[in-house]
Amino acid sequence: MAMSGDNFQNKIKGTFVVRVNRNENATWQGNVTWVEERKQLMFRSVLELIKLIDGALECVEQEQEDAEENSE
């Protein structure tokens, strides 16, 4: 299913660069950079990586909701 340019831009909430430094104990260790916020955090497992990204996206969604409420 193709998305129009406007629709696609509205869906982008964050860009993350994941750098895996090691693969130990059947999981990844490394760092993740949130490009838009210029924040970099280390992670010790894939689960921790997913939680970091999910938390960042929740912040973006909350900020968007707050901005919409303030504009009304």
Side-chain angles (χ1 to χ4, degrees), residues 51-69:
K51 287 180 179 181
L52 289 170
I53 293 172
D54 184 55
L57 295 177
E58 284 181 11
C59 287
V60 170
E61 288 176 2
Q62 186 63 44
E63 288 174 2
Q64 288 175 347
E65 288 174 8
D66 291 346
E68 287 174 8
E69 287 176 7

Side-chain angles (χ1 to χ4, degrees), residues 12-60:
I12 295 176
K13 294 186 169 54
T15 305
F16 299 90
V17 177
V18 177
R19 181 170 290 131
V20 177
N21 297 329
R22 293 183 177 172
N23 181 6
E24 292 182 14
N25 300 321
T27 192
W28 296 344
Q29 295 84 39
N31 57 46
V32 58
T33 303
W34 185 4
V35 175
E36 290 82 5
E37 298 292 323
R38 294 185 177 141
K39 292 183 181 177
Q40 184 175 5
L41 295 171
M42 306 222 22
F43 61 90
R44 295 168 291 193
S45 68
V46 175
L47 179 59
E48 187 175 15
L49 169 64
I50 291 168
K51 287 180 179 181
L52 289 170
I53 293 172
D54 184 55
L57 295 177
E58 284 181 11
C59 287
V60 170

